[in-house]
Amino acid sequence: MNYWLMKSEPDVFSWDDLESKKIASWDGVRNYQARNFMRDQFRMGDRVLFYHSSCEEPGIVGIAKVVREAYPDPTALDSASEYFDPASAKAGQSRWLMVDVAPVKKFRQLAHLSEIRETRSLQSMLLLRKGQRLSIQPVTQDEFKTIESIWG
DNA sequence: GCCAACGTTGGC
DNA sequence: GCCAACGTTGGC
């Protein structure tokens, strides 16, 4: 099983939105590295740390899981979507992919970015690396277990 | 293939 | 709102 961290702006799509939807398509990913993680490494049952970004309390809210592996993101072909991608439309095929995720468990407490930063055993997380903006990041099993045991 | 310009991310 | 860091675009 693989472990991931996925960022979402809560104003756009929050943990609560995921809980009410039960299953959500992770659409709108427009970065090749992130897409390639989904295409090449995301497998059914992989665990996901759901991270709220660009908000008052940035941090990990809970754990989700992958319930459908990568498939074409149709918003790339939808000219009415904010994720519309002219190059995909021109090619008649979406060059972007998405996965479906479902909630597993909300953390007792938000794993706040500042707290993660203060946790010695989490210093090597990609999340803490300067300039790291990738919206989908691999997480090691150790990192995942540590986070779950502290805040989960 | 280079690289300047531009756009985006995301914490603060 | 600021701005550092990074990715993408497009002219050459």
Side-chain angles (χ1 to χ4, degrees), chain A residues 13-107:
Chain A
F13 188 79
S14 69
W15 172 269
D16 288 345
D17 293 330
L18 178 62
E19 281 198 338
S20 61
K21 286 193 75 171
K22 307 283 195 257
I23 291 178
S25 307
W26 204 274
D27 59 12
V29 173
R30 298 291 180 268
N31 171 283
Y32 285 109
Q33 212 180 333
R35 181 202 68 179
N36 294 347
F37 279 136
M38 292 195 285
R39 183 189 63 193
D40 304 332
Q41 297 186 47
F42 268 59
R43 292 297 171 259
M44 290 287 284
D46 281 2
R47 291 307 196 249
V48 173
L49 298 172
F50 193 115
Y51 182 88
H52 279 174
S53 65
S54 292
C55 58
E56 281 199 9
E57 304 284 352
I60 300 162
V61 193
I63 296 170
K65 66 181 174 184
V66 176
V67 295
R68 182 174 172 185
E69 295 180 7
Y71 62 107
D73 178 349
T75 63
L77 302 176
D78 176 5
S79 61
S81 168
E82 59 178 317
Y83 303 127
F84 178 62
D85 172 34
S88 292
K90 196 173 175 191
Q93 183 180 335
S94 178
R95 60 174 164 166
W96 301 111
L97 300 172
M98 61 189 187
V99 296
D100 288 356
V101 300
V104 173
K105 128 178 131 175
K106 185 172 185 174
F107 283 175

